[in-house]
Amino acid sequence: AQSVTQLDSQVPVFEEAPVELRCNYSSSVSVYLFWYVQYPNQGLQLLLKYLSGSTLVKGINGFEAEFNKSQTSFHLRKPSVHISDTAEYFCAVSDGSARQLTFGSGTQLTVLP
Amino acid sequence: EAGVTQSPTHLIKTRGQQATLRCSPISGHTSVYWYQQALGLGLQFLLWYDEGEERNRGNFPPRFSGRQFPNYSSELNVNALELEDSALYLCASSPRGVEQFFGPGTRLTVL
């Protein structure tokens, strides 16, 4: 069985400041990792994914994440946030065979002016 | 390229009724997934269909069911609605891989 822990339920940050949203996972097999963003009253949009290869993954809107197998982490980072980045962010894991995604509980990022 | 579409956008039912939610995947995608996003419970996997067959099911009672049609679109049926079924139901589609693309969701309210 897999599980995902997002350590922070809410992260307030000032505009143009850097941000890191933390995600840890547990799984007994190799995994695929994803970050999704959800704006109010909308579905989920894929920000980035780790399937294999380089552990530093770059996504859309200036976001990046680093896969750390030894620490079972996949933290999301952005060097300078904008007001428009205010949204809920979900980390998710799939083991490939079962295919469905297991999601963390989400982190609400609020960018303050 | 058109994304995943879901209908209706909103659905209001009363307890005990049945609800039917629909999903059209991205063209060329053969897998459809359903997830429930209920307040306080997060995003939970409901069902996975591929090539017309149910491949996996989450920890939900049998009154949650569905099907996938030959054109790969899908229906989610919820029978004997309960108040706690009120949630945003998200559909996702995938080609033969692990990446999933989500639709905008159907907001189901049970009164």
Side-chain angles (χ1 to χ4, degrees):
Chain A
Q2 305 158 100
S3 67
V4 179
T5 302
Q6 292 184 241
L7 298 161
D8 306 296
S9 60
Q10 300 205 31
V11 173
V13 63
F14 286 105
E15 194 174 16
E16 298 183 6
V19 70
E20 178 180 82
L21 306 184
R22 296 180 293 168
C23 172
N24 287 87
Y25 69 93
S26 70
S27 175
S28 57
V29 298
S30 296
V31 295
Y32 305 107
L33 293 156
F34 306 84
W35 274 99
Y36 285 88
V37 61
Q38 186 177 35
Y39 298 100
N41 300 312
Q42 293 188 27
L44 302 176
Q45 180 183 9
L46 181 66
L47 274 178
L48 47 79
K49 60 184 182 283
Y50 172 78
L51 303 182
S52 65
S54 173
T55 57
L56 182 63
V57 178
K58 292 191 184 297
I60 63 171
N61 301 341
F63 284 94
E64 65 180 33
E66 185 154 19
F67 171 57
N68 188 319
K69 190 174 181 179
S70 63
Q71 296 187 7
T72 60
S73 68
F74 190 55
H75 300 334
L76 180 71
R77 300 186 185 99
K78 187 170 182 178
S80 177
V81 295
H82 303 290
I83 297 287
S84 58
D85 293 323
T86 294
E88 187 143 27
Y89 292 78
F90 292 93
C91 181
V93 63
S94 167
D95 69 7
S97 60
R99 296 273 204 97
Q100 70 264 21
L101 297 170
T102 299
F103 286 91
S105 55
T107 297
Q108 174 65 44
L109 173 65
T110 302
V111 181
L112 306 167
Chain B
E1 180 183 280
V4 177
T5 59
Q6 293 186 244
S7 62
T9 304
H10 295 90
L11 189 57
I12 300 174
K13 294 285 186 179
T14 56
R15 201 168 46 178
Q17 285 188 313
Q18 178 195 29
T20 299
L21 289 64
R22 297 179 177 85
C23 171
S24 291
I26 292 171
S27 177
H29 289 192
T30 61
S31 282
V32 170
Y33 304 79
W34 288 95
Y35 294 86
Q36 182 196 63
Q37 187 176 25
L39 203 60
L41 294 178
L43 279 152
Q44 297 185 70
F45 166 71
L46 259 169
L47 291 159
W48 168 30
Y49 292 95
D50 183 62
E51 297 284 1
E53 293 193 14
E54 183 179 304
R55 301 294 184 180
N56 205 356
R57 181 182 184 84
N59 188 25
F60 281 84
R63 57 191 186 81
F64 286 84
S65 65
R67 54 181 172 166
Q68 186 178 34
F69 299 98
N71 66 353
Y72 302 116
S73 66
S74 177
E75 263 182 13
L76 173 69
N77 295 293
V78 188
N79 293 319
L81 284 165
E82 300 179 2
L83 296 178
E84 53 264 34
D85 296 333
S86 293
L88 181 67
Y89 289 84
L90 293 167
C91 171
S93 74
S94 176
R96 294 192 176 275
V98 296
E99 187 171 345
Q100 296 181 24
F101 299 83
F102 284 79
T106 293
R107 173 76 62 187
L108 173 63
T109 302
V110 182
L111 302 175

